[in-house]
Amino acid sequence: MLGDDAELTAAVRAAQAGDETAFRAVYRAVHPRLLGYVRTLVGDHDSEDVASEAWLQIARDLERFDGDADRFRGWAARIARNRALDHIRMRGRRPVIGGDETELTGRPAESDTAGEAMEALATGSTLSLIARLPQDQAEAVVLRVVMGLDAKSAAETLGKRPGAVRTAAHRGLKRLAELLGGDPEPGGGLGALPPQREPRGRAVTSASVTHTRARTQKDM
């Protein structure tokens, strides 16, 4: 696992140059968090398949990416979100949005939520609890805390203003605290991300993604 953003940035750049070992390192570093985000969008049953589709696109388009580790996480999250929304449309389901999104515009929280989020989630919250939040709040919390994006990057991913994302995250954290107080769940918290299952169906491993990446590069 890559230890910090500098290492992830270096690995992304090496992967762009065709280093498959570096791409596997990027995959191992980012995939668990990306999968957690996808689960909040499509549910557990379809999350592996949607995340796999996202990684295939990441592998195909990696050469065109420009930026550091934080921008890469945001870029990967946008790809995953687009694949998830495509999946939802194909199945005839829509994400459940809590409240009118315009209500959040221009009403940022008083402070940044990253530290507050880490503290709240360390108390025993799980992705299943986050999935019970309104969709806008769930996405804001996962992008800020699980994916580790700042408010600006999260806002770019969601197509919203940073203030709206801060407010949604703030409200989501408040609701999580209420859920944790009234319906605690035993077991590991979200700080220890959900265990990865063996891929099924169309799910891919880092090795198959790198193989596809090599084949895609030859086709380009």
Side-chain angles (χ1 to χ4, degrees):
M1 181 68 71
L2 302 180
D4 56 36
D5 280 3
E7 291 180 354
L8 179 56
T9 298
V12 168
R13 291 174 179 167
Q16 287 180 300
D19 186 333
E20 294 189 5
T21 298
F23 187 85
R24 286 194 291 270
V26 171
Y27 177 90
R28 288 194 298 269
V30 177
H31 176 69
R33 297 173 184 273
L34 195 70
L35 180 60
Y37 176 44
V38 171
R39 279 177 173 157
T40 68
L41 295 170
V42 301
D44 186 70
H45 180 72
D46 297 328
S47 60
E48 297 273 4
D49 290 342
V50 173
S52 296
E53 292 171 3
W55 276 107
L56 290 174
Q57 182 176 344
I58 290 167
R60 186 184 69 235
D61 296 346
L62 184 60
E63 290 182 342
R64 293 185 294 213
F65 169 75
D66 182 26
D68 59 9
D70 189 63
R71 288 187 65 84
F72 178 80
R73 283 190 289 263
W75 179 71
R78 285 193 295 276
I79 290 175
R81 187 173 196 266
N82 288 337
R83 296 288 70 76
L85 294 180
D86 286 345
H87 180 80
I88 289 167
R89 282 190 289 266
M90 287 176 59
R91 294 182 64 89
R93 294 181 285 114
R94 295 181 180 179
V96 178
I97 304 297
D100 183 356
E101 180 179 318
T102 59
E103 179 188 357
L104 301 177
T105 304
R107 296 179 55 188
E110 294 181 359
S111 62
D112 188 82
T113 61
E116 181 182 353
M118 292 303 292
E119 180 178 355
L121 294 172
T123 62
S125 176
T126 64
L127 284 173
S128 62
L129 278 181
I130 291 180
R132 293 165 60 180
L133 298 174
Q135 190 73 28
D136 61 328
Q137 295 176 16
E139 287 196 72
V141 170
V142 173
L143 287 174
R144 295 299 316 281
V145 183
V146 180
M147 289 298 296
L149 303 184
D150 59 24
K152 181 179 178 181
S153 297
E156 290 175 353
T157 299
L158 298 174
K160 298 180 180 180
R161 296 181 182 180
V165 174
R166 290 192 187 98
T167 301
H170 180 79
R171 292 178 177 178
L173 290 170
K174 183 177 179 180
R175 178 57 181 152
L176 277 178
E178 293 171 355
L179 291 172
L180 288 168
D183 186 19
E185 291 188 11
L190 190 136
L193 293 167
Q196 298 184 50
R197 299 172 303 178
E198 289 298 319
R200 30 167 265 283
R202 303 197 315 274
V204 296
T205 64
S206 59
S208 64
V209 170
T210 53
H211 176 74
T212 301
R213 171 168 161 70
R215 175 162 48 81
T216 303
Q217 287 178 326
K218 292 178 183 178
D219 295 339
M220 291 176 63

